[in-house]
Amino acid sequence: MRPLKIDLKGFTAFREAQELDFSALDVFAISGPTGSGKSSLLDAMTYALYGRVERVGDRVSQLISQGQPRMAVTLEFAVGQDRYRVTRSTPAKGTTKILLERQTTDGWKQAGDGADRVKDAEKTISRLIGLTYDGFTRSVVLPQGKFAEFLVGDPKKRRDILTELLGLSLFRRMAERAGALSKESAVRAQAMNDMLVGEFGGVTAEALKDARRAAKETEKHEKLLGQAAEEVLQILERWHQTEQSIDEVGMCLAEAMRARQAADTIADELPLVAGRLEVAIEAVTERAAAVKAARKTAKEAEDALEDAIQKLGSSVDLTKAQGHAHALGSTRDALVTRESQLTAAKEAATGHREALLAAERTLKERSEEFTGLEMGVAAAEDAVEQARHNDLVAAVTAGLKAGDPCPVCATPLRATPKRTASLRSATSALERVKVAARKAATALREAERRRDEADRELQANLAEQQRLREEVQEMKSKVKVAQRGLAAVLGEPLPDDPVSAIDARLAQLRDLEVRERQATEQVGHATEALLR
């Protein structure tokens, strides 16, 4: 029997449908981490053929994937030139269904009557493969931990399996048939011999001649002689049959002699074989013990690793937590920096506000001073204009006296104005006020510039504070996220140095993983030694 392809779904670790094609492979290995489903592939093959699995027996519903309603396995295999396909499915609750098919030129056809019934199909499969479930699991697919059991187990069971594997049952049946023929022939020969000795011991050729002579001599014994002749013929026929039986017994005796010679030869070799067998059994026992010890060590290493994962967390979780720890450290440092910058910005804002208030006071003072000077300029300009008017009137009315008509409007003059030096002084006062006003305007513009600069600095400070507040809030959120991620792995309260704590856990896990891998490799070496 050669497996060609297997399809399985809902079987142990294989929740979803999986297909493995072996048809193009001759020698190959199935490898993977513990729990990835390597043994499950062999279990699925055994389940498809025999409806049983070594580790659970007939309770195969225990192998249905968690949360799945049923499991199904289809195994395609070849026997000689013929190809067969068996499909077996088991629901979580209910009976198992099976279908055995054979490939023909028209496609897949049901392999005879009863190929869709579990018992009949399993009998057909055992007949096709030539192995029962015990023979298959002890010679073709050896379950984990069962090879040593086969080597050092019950001699009768081991002999039955070897008889089935090597086809020795034919020779056993031949021996049984030969023994029965020998016994039957011996009984028949003894019966014939007893009959000849008891009933016809005195019958000889000479007596027969005398009887014939007596028959010739007397006719009255003719009838009796005829009966004796018939009896002699019957005796001769039985004698021929006895001779044939004797020949058969002789052939059996010759075969028995040959068997005895073979048995003598085997008996001569048996002490050597027995000695080698004792050495082999000692070696098997020793290596089986080594396998058992290695498996115990591997189980302890695996349990220790599982306990460590439960207590410390998995490598994946710790690696993620390591990222959280580094992010927490850098974010905390950045948060301290941003908070310091925010505090400094708040302190600087006080200075900026005071500078703005001082600039606004100065601006107000310069504005009031400039307003007063503008009013002074206006008054000085009015005084200059009045002085200029007086000078013009005095110039026009020069030589006139009061009561004379005005040269401009002909109105009698009430008095004649005289030219004075007030225009010069008024003009001089106006110039002085204008100079003061220009200086006040320059001071006012400078005060406005300082006020605007102080306001810009304050607004920039407030914007910087807002930016820093947003960054501080974002960093605090990141710190909380990192702390929650770390607490999920490290627990609370968090250690002062989460990075070192996680590094220590990762180192401990890696050490346990190395030990578990080494122990598993040791199991492989010990098993290989046991197989050799």
Side-chain angles (χ1 to χ4, degrees):
M1 190 276 285
R2 175 187 175 95
L4 300 176
K5 187 170 69 173
I6 186 169
D7 298 305
L8 63 166
K9 180 180 181 181
F11 193 91
T12 62
F14 300 95
R15 293 175 58 85
E16 303 300 329
Q18 299 289 336
E19 176 181 318
L20 282 85
D21 192 346
F22 309 120
S23 58
L25 304 176
D26 290 325
V27 178
F28 59 93
I30 303 173
S31 63
T34 302
S36 60
K38 302 184 295 298
S39 300
S40 295
L41 294 176
L42 303 180
D43 290 342
M45 190 180 301
T46 308
Y47 162 75
L49 293 173
Y50 299 99
R52 298 177 59 193
V53 175
E54 188 69 17
R55 52 178 162 151
V56 297
D58 296 330
R59 297 188 295 276
V60 293
S61 60
Q62 300 178 16
L63 302 176
I64 299 177
S65 301
Q66 184 69 28
Q68 294 296 310
R70 65 191 304 109
M71 66 179 180
V73 177
T74 299
L75 176 64
E76 185 177 330
F77 60 94
V79 177
Q81 300 299 320
D82 297 327
R83 296 184 68 163
Y84 295 89
R85 182 172 68 187
V86 56
T87 302
R88 191 187 296 264
S89 64
T90 300
K93 292 182 180 180
T95 58
T96 296
K97 295 183 179 180
I98 192 172
L99 177 61
L100 178 62
E101 300 172 286
R102 182 174 179 270
Q103 190 178 43
T104 65
T105 55
D106 297 330
W108 291 100
K109 302 291 184 182
Q110 181 172 319
D113 185 29
D116 57 350
R117 296 192 292 270
V118 173
K119 290 185 178 180
D120 295 338
E122 289 178 354
K123 289 180 181 179
T124 303
I125 291 171
S126 298
R127 178 174 53 79
L128 288 173
I129 298 177
L131 291 171
T132 62
Y133 171 78
D134 288 335
F136 187 80
T137 56
R138 296 301 186 275
S139 60
V140 179
V141 178
L142 296 179
Q144 293 182 359
K146 296 298 182 181
F147 184 70
E149 177 183 336
F150 170 72
L151 292 178
V152 300
D154 180 39
K156 182 178 182 302
K157 192 171 184 180
R158 187 166 65 248
R159 182 170 59 253
D160 293 341
I161 294 173
L162 290 175
T163 298
E164 182 178 358
L165 290 175
L166 301 177
L168 300 180
S169 58
L170 173 63
F171 297 99
R172 181 173 61 190
R173 293 194 299 273
M174 290 176 63
E176 292 174 354
R177 178 61 178 163
L181 288 174
S182 176
K183 184 176 180 180
E184 182 182 351
S185 299
V187 171
R188 289 172 57 194
Q190 184 64 38
M192 292 295 180
N193 185 58
D194 292 342
M195 182 180 65
L196 289 174
V197 172
E199 298 182 10
F200 305 102
V203 177
T204 61
E206 184 178 355
L208 183 59
K209 290 179 180 180
D210 293 340
R212 288 176 177 172
R213 192 183 307 112
K216 292 178 180 180
E217 291 176 355
T218 177
E219 293 181 354
K220 65 177 181 179
H221 296 297
E222 182 178 355
K223 186 178 180 179
L224 180 61
L225 190 59
Q227 294 176 350
E230 290 180 0
E231 292 178 355
V232 168
L233 289 175
Q234 292 176 359
I235 291 171
L236 287 174
E237 184 178 355
R238 288 197 297 271
W239 174 256
H240 288 310
Q241 293 177 353
T242 302
E243 285 183 338
Q244 291 178 358
S245 297
I246 291 173
D247 292 338
E248 291 179 357
V249 171
M251 293 174 63
C252 291
L253 179 61
E255 185 177 353
M257 291 299 294
R258 289 193 298 271
R260 180 177 179 180
Q261 292 176 357
D264 291 340
T265 302
I266 293 174
D268 293 337
E269 296 178 356
L270 189 58
L272 297 176
V273 175
R276 292 174 58 192
L277 180 60
E278 290 178 359
V279 174
I281 289 177
E282 290 178 359
V284 166
T285 303
E286 179 182 353
R287 294 180 184 181
V291 170
K292 184 177 180 181
R295 284 180 175 161
K296 180 180 179 182
T297 302
K299 185 63 170 59
E300 291 173 352
E302 183 178 353
D303 292 342
L305 180 58
E306 289 296 331
D307 291 341
I309 291 175
Q310 292 294 327
K311 294 177 181 179
L312 305 178
S314 65
S315 298
V316 175
D317 293 338
L318 287 174
T319 301
K320 291 181 180 178
Q322 193 177 45
H324 288 310
H326 286 293
L328 178 61
S330 59
T331 305
R332 278 178 172 174
D333 293 341
L335 178 59
V336 171
T337 301
R338 293 297 183 276
E339 288 177 340
S340 299
Q341 292 174 349
L342 180 59
T343 301
K346 289 179 179 179
E347 293 175 353
T350 302
H352 291 313
R353 287 191 180 91
E354 292 177 353
L356 178 60
L357 291 175
E360 288 177 344
R361 286 195 298 269
T362 303
L363 177 62
K364 183 178 180 182
E365 293 174 356
R366 296 294 179 267
S367 179
E368 292 175 351
E369 180 182 1
F370 179 72
T371 301
L373 289 172
E374 281 185 333
M375 293 175 63
V377 168
E381 286 178 345
D382 290 343
V384 169
E385 185 63 25
Q386 185 64 38
R388 183 179 293 110
H389 177 73
N390 290 337
D391 283 351
L392 289 174
V393 171
V396 171
T397 61
L400 296 178
K401 58 183 182 287
D404 292 336
C406 177
V408 177
C409 62
T411 302
L413 296 175
R414 288 178 296 179
T416 55
K418 297 180 180 179
R419 299 186 64 178
T420 63
S422 59
L423 179 59
R424 189 178 299 111
S425 62
T427 302
S428 177
L430 177 60
E431 290 298 326
R432 288 195 300 271
V433 172
K434 284 184 175 181
V435 170
R438 285 194 294 272
K439 291 181 178 179
T442 301
L444 179 60
R445 287 193 296 273
E446 178 64 19
E448 288 177 346
R449 186 189 66 77
R450 291 182 179 179
R451 190 276 312 272
D452 293 342
E453 182 178 357
D455 185 63
R456 286 194 299 272
E457 290 179 352
L458 177 60
Q459 295 304 319
N461 178 273
L462 293 176
E464 178 69 10
Q465 287 188 53
Q466 182 62 27
R467 183 184 67 80
L468 291 172
R469 285 193 190 94
E470 292 174 356
E471 290 185 359
V472 166
Q473 188 62 36
E474 182 180 359
M475 290 177 182
K476 286 183 178 179
S477 299
K478 290 182 179 179
V479 167
K480 289 181 180 179
V481 172
Q483 287 175 337
R484 285 196 297 269
L486 289 173
V489 177
L490 300 179
E492 293 183 350
L494 292 176
D496 295 334
D497 188 357
V499 175
S500 298
I502 293 172
D503 290 343
R505 290 191 180 192
L506 282 173
Q508 186 176 353
L509 273 184
R510 292 190 183 100
D511 182 60
L512 290 173
E513 288 172 350
V514 170
R515 292 182 184 178
E516 191 269 344
R517 184 166 58 254
Q518 291 175 345
T520 302
E521 291 175 354
Q522 186 60 35
V523 170
H525 296 328
T527 304
E528 183 180 357
L530 177 61
L531 292 173
R532 287 199 300 270

